[in-house]
């Protein structure tokens, strides 16, 4: 059940969300079926995507978290009202040590490993991860994991 995982992540990030004045909108398909996976590792992916949205969204911005079924998978999507990411930078975002701003004066910390690790975890679960973004238009990161069948198997 992905919802307790999502709730834990939100609870952990709530102080930072509140301190930065972000509005968080959560949308969840009612009666969400179960996915198949390691709740800790999927929680790590949700935490990475949500904490990145918090970090890169200007004070007072809006973040949305959407969890729904798409075909035979659960899809988690995090969208923000941040600065957006160029098409060129999107091509390398999921590579180890990759960051959008590599200048010595960049305003954000981090190792550039979070999205690479997230990709590895999602793919190990048989899912996919991706991004869509435009400069000045915010970003939308998403991942999917297969639904469990009636016996709890994919």
């Amino acid at each position: 059940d992905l919802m307790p995982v999502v709730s834990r992540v939100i609870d952990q990030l709530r102080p930072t969300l509140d301190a930065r004045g972000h509005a968080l909108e959560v949308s969840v398909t009612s009666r969400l079926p179960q996915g198949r996976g390691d709740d800790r590792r999927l929680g790590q992916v949700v935490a990475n995507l949500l904490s990145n949205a918090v970090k890169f969204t200007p004070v007072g911005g809006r973040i949305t978290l959407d969890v729904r079924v798409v075909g035979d998978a659960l899809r988690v999507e995090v969208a923000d009202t941040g600065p957006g990411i160029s098409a060129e930078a999107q091509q390398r975002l999921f590579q180890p040590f990759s960051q959008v701003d590599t200048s010595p004066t960049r305003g954000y910390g981090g190792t550039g490993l979070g999205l690479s690790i997230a990709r590895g975890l999602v793919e190990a679960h048989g899912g996919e991860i991706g991004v869509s973004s435009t400069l000045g238009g915010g970003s939308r990161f998403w991942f999917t994991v297969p639904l469990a069948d009636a016996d709890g198997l994919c």
Side-chain angles (χ1 to χ4, degrees):
D1 187 358
L2 196 56
M3 284 321 301
V5 172
V6 169
S7 294
R8 278 194 305 271
V9 170
I10 291 170
D11 289 345
Q12 292 168 351
L13 290 173
R14 179 60 62 194
T16 307
L17 282 159
D18 292 344
R20 293 187 50 85
H22 292 324
L24 175 64
E25 297 174 21
V26 179
S27 173
V28 180
T29 300
S30 62
R31 303 192 75 203
L32 200 61
Q34 292 197 347
R36 180 160 169 83
D38 181 324
D39 63 339
R40 287 187 180 185
R41 296 299 157 238
L42 293 176
Q44 187 176 346
V45 175
V46 173
N48 179 268
L49 299 185
L50 195 53
S51 63
N52 281 349
V54 170
K55 183 186 340 183
F56 293 106
T57 298
V59 171
R62 186 172 59 88
I63 298 169
T64 60
L65 174 66
D66 182 52
V67 183
R68 65 182 183 269
V69 175
V70 175
D72 59 354
L74 288 175
R75 180 179 170 111
V76 177
E77 196 169 282
V78 177
D80 63 53
T81 56
I85 304 165
S86 71
E88 177 188 343
Q90 289 177 49
Q91 297 299 317
R92 61 180 193 274
L93 270 181
F94 296 97
Q95 297 173 7
F97 304 108
S98 179
Q99 295 179 328
V100 171
D101 182 0
T102 58
S103 70
T105 59
R106 69 188 173 121
Y108 304 100
T111 62
L113 289 172
L115 289 173
S116 173
I117 292 169
R119 182 186 71 191
L121 293 171
V122 168
E123 289 176 353
H125 282 83
E128 297 178 311
I129 190 167
V131 60
S132 62
S133 182
T134 56
L135 286 174
S139 299
R140 181 175 307 273
F141 284 84
W142 57 269
F143 74 92
T144 61
V145 291
L147 291 173
D149 65 17
D151 297 323
L153 303 172
C154 290

